[in-house]
C-alpha cells in the first residue's frame, strides 16, 4: 500500500468517526428529554389527569381534562383553516412555478415559516382578539393556523412537483381538463406525502405555547366555546411549572409527557397513513 | 442486402399491391390563412391520393416553434383512416413534436406555437372553435414511458369514462372488459381488476395504457414510441395489438425501430431535421425510397 493510499484511508476513517460523533451529539439531547419527561411525567400521569378538572389553588389532585380538550379544539381549528388554504396554495405553486406571483407567495411562505411564533400570536391578537375585545379559542386556533400554513404550502408544493410528468400527460390525453388532472391524478399520487406533511405540521403547532398566551389565554374551567378563552396543555404546563406548588409541578410533567405522546402518536399515524396509501402507488 | 432483409420482414406481415407515393410539399399550396387552407383541403384530393383510403388527418403546411426555434418546417401530409402510419427519423427530427401536435399535447409547454393547419375530418385542431378536451377524447395517445395512474387497474381504464361523466356501473364494467380485451390484457388481469396498476409488468402497463386510451372510444390513436422501453416479447405483443387495432382506429406511431415500422405500418413518413423528407407506402419507403436521405436512413448508413 502506498503512503498516499494509506493517508487517504486514514482520512476516510477519521471522517467516518467524526460523522458518528456528530450523530451521537445530536441524539443526546433528544434521548435526555425523552428520558426525563418519561421519568417525571409517566409517574405523575393517572386517570384523574385525563378526567378531572384543575383543583382550586392549594388543593392537591385534579387533572387537565379541560386543557386536553382545549388543545384538540385549538389544533382542530388550525387544521380546518390551514389545510385548505395551505393545500390550495401549494397546488398553485406547483402548477405555476415560474410566475412572479408564485415567487412572491413562496418567499412569503418561507418568511412566515421563520417568523417567531410569539409574533404570529401578536398578529392573531390584533386580528381576532382586539376587534371583539375578548380572548378566544378562535383566536388561538387562527394563530396556530398561521404557523401551520407555510409548512403545509411548502410540503404540498414539493411533493406535487415530485409526481412524474407522465401522469399529467396521461390524464390530459384522456380528455381531462387541467384542474381535473391535478385533483384526480396528481394530488392523489402525492397524497401520502402531503398527509405526512400535514400531520408533522399539526404536531409542531400542538406544542406551541407562545402564540396562545394572548390569544386563547388559558382557562381554569371547562369551556368548549370558540368565543371564550380556552385551556391548552402547553399554556397549562407553562402556568403550572411556574407555580410554587409541588403537586402542580407534578402535573406539569404529566402534561409535558402527554404532549410528547400526542406528537409521537401523530407521527406514527402519519407513517401508517402513508403505508396504507402507498399500497396503491407501488407494487 | 439490407433491402432483402427488409423484404423478408415485410413478407411476414403485409403486402400492399400498389405503392402510390407523393413527396412532402408536392401539390400543397403554401397558404397561411385558415380560410384558404380549408379550401385547399377540399381541393386537395389529387390523383396521387385517390389510391389511398379516405384521409383522416390532413396536415397543411404545419410549422411548430418552441420560443424562437422552429422545430417543424412546413409539414404537409395526409394520414389515411383505419391504417397505421409510422413516423420515423433520427432523434430530434421533430417526429415526437409532430405527433404531439395532433392532439395538442404541446399546448402544455410554455412558449410553444404552431402555424398552418392539422385537419381531422375537415376540422382544424388549432382552429378557434376546437375544444382541446373534446379533441383529446377523439384522439387518444399512448406514451413512450407507460404511465398508469397510481390507482387500480379498473380505475385506470375507467378514468376517461368517469371524467366524461359516466356513472353507470354496469356500463362501466362492460366497457372496461371490452377495452381490456381489445388491448389483449383482459385474461391476464380479470381476476385482479382492483389491484394496483403499478404491480403490472412493463408490457402489461403499456397495454393497460392502450386499454385506457381505447375506453373513451377515440377515432385516432397516437403512439409515441410505445414499445421502446419494452423487452422483445412485450414489444411483439404490442405490435400484434397495433396490427389488430387498425380495423377500428386510425393509428399514428412514432418509432425508432425500423423493423417495427416495416412490420406494423401501412404508410411511413421519414422526418429529418424538422422536415418531412419522404412519405409513401411503407413498402416503397423501405424497398424503393425516392430520396437519398431516406435510403441512407432506412439502410442504416446514418442515424
Amino acid at each position: 500500500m502506498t503512503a498516499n493510499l494509506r493517508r487517504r484511508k486514514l482520512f476516510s476513517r477519521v471522517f467516518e468517526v467524526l460523522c458518528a460523533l456528530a450523530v451521537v451529539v445530536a441524539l443526546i439531547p433528544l434521548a435526555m428529554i425523552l428520558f426525563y419527561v418519561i421519568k417525571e411525567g409517566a409517574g405523575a400521569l393517572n386517570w384523574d389527569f385525563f378526567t378531572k378538572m384543575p383543583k382550586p389553588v392549594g388543593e392537591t389532585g385534579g387533572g387537565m381534562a379541560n386543557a386536553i380538550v382545549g388543545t384538540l379544539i385549538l389544533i382542530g381549528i388550525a387544521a380546518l383553516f390551514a389545510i385548505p388554504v395551505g393545500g390550495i396554495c401549494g397546488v398553485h405553486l406547483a402548477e405555476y412555478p415560474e410566475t412572479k406571483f408564485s415567487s412572491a407567495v413562496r418567499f412569503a411562505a418561507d418568511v412566515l415559516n421563520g417568523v417567531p411564533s410569539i409574533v404570529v400570536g401578536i398578529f392573531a391578537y390584533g386580528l381576532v382578539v382586539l376587534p371583539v375585545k375578548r380572548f378566544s379559542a378562535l383566536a388561538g386556533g387562527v394563530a396556530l393556523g398561521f404557523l401551520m400554513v407555510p409548512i403545509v404550502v411548502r410540503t404540498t408544493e414539493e411533493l406535487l412537483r415530485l409526481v412524474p410528468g407522465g401522469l399529467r400527460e396521461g390524464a390530459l390525453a384522456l380528455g381531462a381538463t387541467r384542474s381535473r388532472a391535478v385533483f384526480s391524478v396528481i394530488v392523489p399520487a402525492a397524497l401520502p406525502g402531503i398527509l405526512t406533511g400535514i400531520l408533522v405540521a399539526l404536531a409542531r403547532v400542538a406544542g406551541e405555547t407562545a402564540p396562545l398566551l394572548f390569544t386563547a389565554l388559558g382557562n381554569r374551567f371547562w369551556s368548549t366555546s370558540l368565543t371564550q378563552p380556552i385551556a391548552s396543555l402547553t399554556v397549562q404546563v407553562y402556568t403550572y411549572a411556574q407555580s410554587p406548588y409541588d403537586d402542580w409541578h407534578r402535573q406539569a410533567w404529566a402534561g409535558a409527557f402527554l404532549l410528547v405522546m400526542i406528537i409521537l402518536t401523530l407521527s406514527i399515524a402519519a407513517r401508517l397513513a402513508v403505508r396504507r396509501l402507498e399500497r396503491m402507488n407501488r407494487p | 442486402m439490407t433491402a432483402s432483409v427488409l423484404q423478408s420482414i415485410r413478407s411476414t406481415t403485409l403486402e400492399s399491391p400498389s405503392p402510390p407515393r407523393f413527396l412532402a410539399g408536392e401539390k400543397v399550396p403554401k397558404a397561411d390563412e385558415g380560410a384558404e387552407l380549408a379550401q385547399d383541403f377540399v381541393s386537395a384530393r389529387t390523383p396521387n391520393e385517390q389510391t389511398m383510403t379516405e384521409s383522416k388527418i390532413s396536415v397543411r403546411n404545419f410549422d411548430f416553434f418552441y420560443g424562437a426555434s422552429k422545430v417543424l418546417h412546413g409539414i404537409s401530409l395526409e394520414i389515411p383512416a383505419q391504417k397505421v402510419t409510422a413516423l420515423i427519423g433520427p432523434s430530434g427530427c421533430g417526429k415526437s413534436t409532430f405527433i404531439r401536435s395532433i392532439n395538442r399535447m404541446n399546448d402544455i409547454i410554455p412558449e410553444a406555437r404552431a402555424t398552418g393547419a392539422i385537419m381531422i375530418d375537415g376540422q382544424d385542431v388549432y382552429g378557434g372553435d376546437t375544444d382541446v378536451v373534446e379533441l383529446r377524447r377523439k384522439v387518444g395517445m399512448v406514451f413512450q414511458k407507460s404511465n398508469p395512474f397510481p390507482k387500480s387497474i379498473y380505475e385506470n381504464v375507467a378514468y376517461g369514462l368517469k371524467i366524461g361523466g359516466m356513472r353507470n356501473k354496469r356500463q362501466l364494467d362492460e366497457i372496461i372488459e371490452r377495452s381490456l380485451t381489445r388491448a389483449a390484457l383482459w385474461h391476464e388481469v380479470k381476476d385482479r381488476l382492483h389491484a394496483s396498476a403499478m404491480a403490472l409488468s412493463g408490457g402489461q402497463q403499456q397495454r393497460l395504457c392502450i386499454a385506457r386510451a381505447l375506453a373513451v372510444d377515440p377515432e385516432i390513436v397516437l403512439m409515441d414510441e410505445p414499445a421502446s422501453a419494452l423487452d422483445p416479447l412485450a414489444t411483439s405483443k404490442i405490435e400484434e395489438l397495433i396490427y389488430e387495432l387498425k380495423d377500428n382506429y386510425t393509428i399514428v406511431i412514432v418509432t425508432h425501430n425500423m423493423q417495427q415500422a416495416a412490420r406494423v405500418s401501412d404508410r411511413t413518413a421519414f422526418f429529418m431535421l424538422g422536415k418531412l423528407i419522404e412519405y409513401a407506402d411503407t413498402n416503397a419507403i423501405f424497398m424503393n425510397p425516392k430520396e437519398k436521405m431516406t435510403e441512407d436512413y432506412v439502410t442504416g448508413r446514418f442515424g
Side-chain angles (χ1 to χ4, degrees):
Chain A
M1 210 192 299
T2 66
N4 179 26
L5 188 56
R6 241 195 313 272
R7 200 168 46 80
R8 284 168 52 197
K9 286 208 161 177
L10 183 71
F11 182 78
S12 165
R13 195 75 209 133
V14 168
F15 204 77
E16 274 170 30
V17 172
L18 279 178
C19 287
L21 272 177
V23 171
V24 171
V25 170
L27 286 180
I28 282 174
L30 177 67
M32 283 172 74
I33 290 170
L34 279 179
F35 173 77
Y36 215 72
V37 166
I38 291 169
K39 179 174 157 265
E40 298 283 335
L45 209 59
N46 53 34
W47 192 242
D48 278 358
F49 183 84
F50 291 99
T51 54
K52 294 270 164 62
M53 295 291 295
K55 284 273 166 69
V57 180
E59 285 182 42
T60 55
M64 288 196 189
N66 59 337
I68 295 168
V69 170
T71 287
L72 292 178
I73 288 175
L74 285 169
I75 62 175
I77 299 168
L80 271 179
F81 162 61
I83 293 171
V85 172
I88 291 168
C89 195
V91 168
H92 180 93
L93 292 188
E95 281 298 302
Y96 302 93
E98 306 291 346
T99 63
K100 280 212 177 88
F101 179 69
S102 289
S103 306
V105 169
R106 200 174 290 122
F107 181 70
D110 288 345
V111 170
L112 185 59
N113 203 11
V115 168
S117 57
I118 187 107
V119 176
V120 174
I122 295 168
F123 175 66
Y125 175 81
L127 191 74
V128 188
V129 177
L130 275 186
V132 298
K133 306 258 192 304
R134 185 192 283 156
F135 297 108
S136 64
L138 196 63
V142 166
L144 296 185
F146 277 123
L147 286 171
M148 244 183 105
V149 165
I151 313 177
V152 177
V153 169
R154 294 296 262 149
T155 27
T156 306
E157 182 197 1
E158 300 292 332
L159 287 152
L160 287 177
R161 288 171 86 169
L162 288 179
V163 175
L167 291 185
R168 173 196 305 275
E169 291 195 331
L172 292 179
L174 287 167
T177 58
R178 184 169 179 177
S179 59
R180 189 83 196 224
V182 168
F183 288 107
S184 65
V185 172
I186 299 171
V187 169
L191 202 57
I194 293 174
L195 212 63
T196 315
I198 288 172
L199 287 173
V200 166
L202 269 180
R204 147 111 205 267
V205 300
E208 285 288 350
T209 318
L212 297 178
L213 288 175
F214 29 70
T215 51
L217 190 68
N219 192 337
R220 292 193 49 79
F221 303 100
W222 180 266
S223 168
T224 52
S225 163
L226 298 187
T227 56
Q228 296 294 330
I230 198 165
S232 62
L233 276 170
T234 48
V235 174
Q236 202 97 327
V237 167
Y238 172 74
T239 323
Y240 275 30
Q242 281 185 322
S243 75
Y245 313 110
D246 279 345
D247 193 55
W248 280 17
H249 290 168
R250 193 184 54 81
Q251 291 204 18
W253 278 116
F257 176 72
L258 186 61
L259 269 174
V260 171
M261 287 300 122
I262 287 175
I263 290 164
L264 201 67
T265 310
L266 282 174
S267 306
I268 292 170
R271 283 180 177 270
L272 289 181
V274 168
R275 212 168 299 163
R276 258 186 83 93
L277 285 167
E278 279 195 339
R279 220 169 287 160
M280 266 302 158
N281 282 8
R282 287 178 223 306
Chain B
M1 195 203 94
T2 325
S4 67
V5 172
L6 289 169
Q7 176 78 63
S8 65
I9 294 164
R10 290 287 302 169
S11 61
T12 59
T13 54
L14 63 149
E15 289 293 339
S16 307
S18 56
R21 62 167 59 214
F22 62 90
L23 283 174
E26 253 185 21
K27 310 250 187 240
V28 179
K30 294 268 182 280
D32 284 314
E33 282 165 38
E36 281 180 64
L37 288 167
Q39 219 169 16
D40 288 340
F41 178 72
V42 175
S43 62
R45 305 207 168 275
T46 61
N48 252 343
E49 294 155 32
Q50 278 174 355
T51 44
M52 290 167 49
T53 50
E54 196 194 342
S55 167
K56 183 76 178 171
I57 308 171
S58 177
V59 184
R60 297 271 156 224
N61 202 24
F62 186 76
D63 296 329
F64 198 86
F65 305 80
Y66 292 122
S69 75
K70 191 173 183 182
V71 291
L72 288 177
H73 303 262
I75 308 294
S76 297
L77 77 169
E78 302 289 327
I79 293 173
Q82 261 121 62
K83 295 263 189 251
V84 179
T85 302
L87 311 178
I88 61 169
S91 295
C93 68
K95 55 196 190 305
S96 272
T97 300
F98 176 68
I99 199 173
R100 291 165 60 91
S101 297
I102 299 174
N103 67 343
R104 287 180 56 177
M105 281 308 284
N106 289 324
D107 282 16
I108 56 179
I109 298 165
E111 311 249 304
R113 188 165 59 85
T115 62
I118 296 179
M119 316 285 257
I120 294 178
D121 295 332
Q123 198 197 349
D124 185 359
V125 305
Y126 284 88
D129 55 343
T130 296
D131 181 67
V132 68
V133 166
E134 216 169 287
L135 168 73
R136 288 175 185 155
R137 295 184 79 78
K138 193 167 153 183
V139 186
M141 186 159 203
V142 177
F143 298 85
Q144 176 177 9
K145 198 165 171 295
S146 61
N147 54 357
F149 304 135
K151 301 174 188 286
S152 68
I153 293 166
Y154 184 93
E155 285 300 324
N156 262 278
V157 186
Y159 184 82
L161 300 167
K162 283 190 173 172
I163 61 174
M166 191 182 290
R167 286 286 172 272
N168 183 330
K169 175 125 175 39
R170 262 213 358 242
Q171 216 176 348
L172 281 171
D173 288 350
E174 204 180 288
I175 298 176
I176 285 163
E177 175 171 351
R178 192 171 64 217
S179 308
L180 285 167
T181 307
R182 277 193 178 167
L185 189 61
W186 174 250
H187 289 290
E188 291 160 61
V189 301
K190 63 170 189 270
D191 298 324
R192 48 175 173 143
L193 288 177
H194 296 282
S196 170
M198 310 307 279
L200 297 173
S201 73
Q204 289 174 326
Q205 287 191 5
Q206 194 61 298
R207 275 178 284 148
L208 177 66
C209 292
I210 294 173
R212 190 172 73 181
L214 299 182
V216 294
D217 202 25
E219 295 167 23
I220 300 166
V221 180
L222 309 174
M223 299 186 170
D224 191 355
E225 298 188 52
S228 66
L230 303 178
D231 67 45
L233 194 68
T235 300
S236 77
K237 276 194 178 161
I238 300 277
E239 285 180 9
E240 275 170 38
L241 183 55
I242 293 169
Y243 197 72
E244 279 165 25
L245 289 177
K246 72 171 177 177
D247 290 342
N248 296 301
Y249 306 92
T250 301
I251 294 173
V252 184
I253 176 173
V254 165
T255 177
H256 267 293
N257 179 330
M258 265 166 311
Q259 282 90 342
Q260 186 171 78
R263 281 192 298 263
V264 302
S265 72
D266 302 293
R267 306 269 300 167
T268 297
F270 172 58
F271 281 71
M272 178 94 173
L273 298 172
K275 294 195 174 80
L276 176 60
I277 305 297
E278 190 169 354
Y279 176 50
D281 273 16
T282 299
N283 263 338
I285 288 279
F286 284 97
M287 305 310 168
N288 188 21
K290 221 176 198 174
E291 297 287 317
K292 181 76 170 57
M293 269 193 278
T294 313
E295 188 184 339
D296 287 351
Y297 185 75
V298 300
T299 55
R301 240 165 279 163
F302 73 86

